[in-house]
Amino acid sequence: MQKAIYTTVELDALLSHVLALKGAGARFVQMHAERNVDDGTYRLVYTFINVRAAQEQIAQDGSYAIENLVVEGIDQYQEIPSISSYYPAVFPFENEAHDLFGLAITDMQIDFKGFFYQVSTTEPMSVITPEVKAAREKAMKVRAAAEAKARKAAAEKAAAAAAAAGEGAGDAAGAAVAQPAAAAGSDAQHDEAAAKAALKAAEMEAKLAAMDPEKAAKVRAALAAKAARDKQKKEA
């Protein structure tokens, strides 16, 4: 059973309360804004679940508490500090509050690097498994390394071509730059493809782990047969 706890905080104390929840291991759940029809001010509610405490409570009596920070009396033009530096998952909610009500939320810190916000804690709310989270993080690192390798190789060859280029050698220098850049780009694409394949395999393993064992065995057999057919086609 869920228990809701509401704590009203001042706007200038919001970040300190959020930081305290972060330090306690709380997970962000949602945030919403609403307008007070009586005076035209706005109310923000930030919802968290203290994962560590919840796990203990669930083990004891099956209950856990949802914690809410409430900020009242916000003027439409008042600056609201973003909590995205602590919880990136708040971004779509803060963005919605801005789009719907025009609230001025400042200093958003967002960089999803190609993937949306990921968590891997399995209780009490599961988003992805630790294995899939690790695979996605590895894919991002491989992609970044491949891109950096391609940029470095292209820059080095361009510099060498420029230094060696003389009068009438413009075409040769251009070719010298284009060829290594293309090769480096090919390496980057190969590394990224391998990372995507590993990620896809990890996600499939997560799905299979959640299936009935008999059904999972049939799916594995079907996947193995498909892989064998694909291999034969490539070798033909």
Side-chain angles (χ1 to χ4, degrees):
M1 181 178 66
Q2 299 178 8
K3 302 174 183 178
I5 299 172
Y6 291 87
T7 304
T8 300
V9 301
E10 297 295 327
L11 183 60
D12 59 4
L14 173 64
L15 291 182
S16 61
H17 282 274
V18 171
L19 180 59
L21 284 169
K22 181 76 172 181
R27 181 187 300 172
F28 173 79
V29 178
Q30 68 175 15
M31 168 263 200
H32 76 269
E34 54 191 47
R35 186 173 182 271
N36 187 330
V37 295
D38 294 329
D39 61 10
T41 61
Y42 294 86
R43 179 176 186 253
L44 297 178
V45 180
Y46 299 81
T47 304
F48 305 83
I49 180 169
N50 191 325
V51 177
R52 297 171 191 166
Q55 289 174 331
E56 296 175 0
Q57 292 169 0
I58 289 171
Q60 292 175 2
D61 59 13
S63 69
Y64 60 93
I66 296 291
E67 301 185 34
N68 301 275
L69 296 180
V70 183
V71 185
E72 301 272 11
I74 297 175
D75 182 87
Q76 184 177 15
Y77 303 104
Q78 192 170 2
E79 291 191 349
I80 303 164
S82 172
I83 70 166
S84 58
S85 58
Y86 302 120
Y87 292 99
V90 76
F91 168 70
F93 300 94
E94 291 181 337
N95 188 65
E96 181 182 59
H98 171 270
D99 289 348
L100 289 178
F101 300 112
L103 296 179
I105 299 177
T106 63
D107 198 28
M108 290 187 184
Q109 303 293 320
I110 301 299
D111 184 2
F112 293 122
K113 299 184 185 299
F115 293 100
F116 211 64
Y117 186 60
Q118 309 294 339
V119 295
S120 62
T121 305
T122 57
E123 293 292 346
M125 293 177 292
S126 178
V127 178
I128 61 172
T129 66
E131 291 78 14
V132 172
K133 182 174 185 289
R136 290 182 177 177
E137 291 175 346
K138 181 178 180 180
M140 287 189 286
K141 290 179 180 179
V142 170
R143 178 186 300 169
E147 291 174 350
K149 179 181 178 182
R151 288 194 298 270
K152 181 179 179 181
E156 290 175 347
K157 295 298 183 180
E167 185 176 352
D171 292 340
V177 173
Q179 291 176 0
S186 178
D187 288 342
Q189 290 173 356
H190 179 272
D191 291 343
E192 185 173 352
K196 286 182 178 179
L199 173 57
K200 186 176 180 180
E203 290 178 335
M204 177 54 69
E205 282 299 319
K207 291 179 181 178
L208 290 170
M211 290 182 185
D212 174 79
E214 185 176 348
K215 182 178 179 180
K218 291 180 180 179
V219 173
R220 288 182 190 277
L223 291 173
K226 183 179 183 302
R229 290 194 301 270
D230 292 343
K231 184 178 180 181
Q232 288 179 349
K233 289 179 181 179
K234 289 182 179 179
E235 293 176 348

